[in-house]
Structures are given as structure tokens and as C-alpha cells.
Amino acid sequence: MATRRNPRFKECRRLGVNVCGHPKAMERAGAPAFKKTKKTSDYGLHLIEKQKVKAYYGILERQLRRYFELASKSSEKTGVALLILLESRLDNLVYRLGFANSIRMARQMVSHGHFEVDGQKVNIPSYSVKVGSTIALREKSRKSSQFKSAFLADNKAKLDYLERDEANFSGKYARLPLRAEIPVQINDQMVVEYYSK
């Protein structure tokens, strides 16, 4: 299974936003060595927005192209539809619900079979979760102090389209998110323009 293994902090500084969610990712962003001296071209700006999407969701180019093709067939605006498709990925929802501290950790937890979706074990990070589905940490995985402390830690912003059930170590994908609710700093229109050229 192909995964992104590039340096996370370096990527955050290059893109100008904290895409990995680590509190120390942007510490050196203002240092003189990382200041841009040349003006970024229009193509460069579009490319950066596209790279942000890949970094936020931990996906590769081929996957993003496939999601874009699906989004372009949607009745919703293409950019918004693309982000909704990506938000519906199992690894992303595991991260948003607070089971993992990063998208990479969430992907690993899913691929190692620690989660159930509506009572069925799922180990495919790209699995598309349907609205109304419940994602739960498997019974035997609840014994791990690392998973329990990550989920019970109060360090995640509450999202209106997700419902957390701390007593049962689970969460529900209550509804599709609105664009304003998706916690990513991306100009989705630029991503659409990049792929439309």
C-alpha cells in the first residue's frame, strides 16, 4: 500500500499552513532561511492549493484525481463535493473524532483493523463512510491506553457533523458537512481550476 513518507514539518512550511496538525510544525516558518524571495506564479498558487489537499488528507496524486472525477459528476459545486468526499474517508473521520493525533496515525490504526463501521470490521483507510454510520473502536483495542487517552483527551475542536460517544468509544457521521465546517485552509476553487486546465 503506497503511503506519503515525506518530511511533514518541511511540507507545512512550504505550503504555509499546518497541514499535519502538529503544534510545533510551524515554529520555524518565520525564520529568514524560509522566507520566499520570488513571487509565486499563478500556476504555482494553484499547485500549492492542490498539494494542500493531498497533505491534509494523506493521499497521493492518483487518488486525488479519482476523487476529483467523482466530484465533477456531483450536483454540488465540484470543489465542495471534492472536500465532502475526502471528509467521508474512514481514516479522516477516525482523525476528526479524536481517536488519532494525526491523519497518519489514523490511517495506520484503520489498516491494522482497530475499527468497526456499523459493527463490521473495516481495515481500508479510503473506505467511504455513509451518513448515519457509527465508527467504533473494537472491543479488544479499547484496552490500549494510547487509543483511550487520545480519544478522551479534550484537544479536538467539536465538529457539528460528528457525534462523539465517549462512553462507548464511538462516533457517528451524523450528516454531510457544510463547506464552512470543514477545518481545512484550502481554496477549493483553485484546485478545480488546476485540474480543469
Side-chain angles (χ1 to χ4, degrees):
M1 181 171 61
T3 55
R4 292 167 57 86
R5 299 188 185 278
N6 48 325
R8 294 178 301 160
F9 289 11
K10 191 175 182 180
E11 184 173 49
C12 290
R13 289 194 298 267
R14 182 169 50 81
L15 297 174
V17 289
N18 188 350
V19 291
C20 69
H22 196 286
K24 294 184 178 179
M26 299 298 287
E27 275 186 0
R28 294 166 59 202
F34 301 111
K35 286 198 174 159
K36 292 181 181 176
T37 53
K38 293 180 183 176
K39 187 183 175 190
T40 309
S41 66
D42 276 352
Y43 172 78
L45 293 172
H46 287 77
L47 179 64
I48 286 170
E49 294 304 316
K50 189 261 293 185
Q51 299 291 61
K52 281 184 192 176
V53 177
K54 287 167 61 178
Y56 268 120
Y57 293 99
I59 58 174
L60 301 172
E61 183 65 31
R62 184 183 285 184
Q63 291 171 299
L64 182 54
R65 281 188 178 277
R66 184 167 54 83
Y67 281 117
F68 181 79
E69 285 169 16
L70 288 171
S72 61
K73 295 171 186 171
S74 168
S75 56
E76 187 78 63
K77 279 186 176 178
T78 305
V80 177
L82 174 64
L83 293 181
I84 289 172
L85 282 171
L86 292 167
E87 279 294 309
S88 302
R89 283 172 57 100
L90 178 56
D91 59 352
N92 180 71
L93 290 174
V94 164
Y95 172 54
R96 296 276 187 243
L97 284 165
F99 286 107
N101 297 323
S102 69
I103 194 76
R104 285 186 180 183
M105 182 180 171
R107 184 185 179 89
Q108 186 179 49
M109 287 173 71
V110 172
S111 61
H112 287 188
H114 292 293
F115 289 95
E116 294 176 343
V117 178
D118 292 334
Q120 296 292 316
K121 177 185 168 185
V122 180
N123 61 359
I124 303 166
S126 62
Y127 178 84
S128 184
V129 179
K130 293 180 175 62
V131 170
S133 295
T134 300
I135 301 160
L137 193 61
R138 296 184 72 202
E139 198 68 45
K140 64 179 182 180
S141 302
R142 294 178 193 181
K143 295 171 187 171
S144 167
S145 58
Q146 183 186 8
F147 297 163
K148 283 166 71 174
S149 60
F151 185 62
L152 297 174
D154 193 22
N155 59 356
K156 287 276 188 298
K158 188 179 181 299
L159 298 170
D160 291 337
Y161 55 94
L162 299 175
E163 295 172 4
R164 280 166 49 101
D165 182 356
E166 292 187 355
N168 295 311
F169 289 94
S170 65
K172 185 178 179 183
Y173 190 25
R175 59 174 174 81
L176 291 176
L178 302 172
R179 174 61 186 97
E181 295 172 328
I182 300 174
V184 292
Q185 296 176 45
I186 294 170
N187 184 332
D188 39 278
Q189 184 54 39
M190 279 195 173
V191 180
V192 174
E193 288 170 10
Y194 177 89
Y195 281 118
S196 301
K197 286 178 182 176

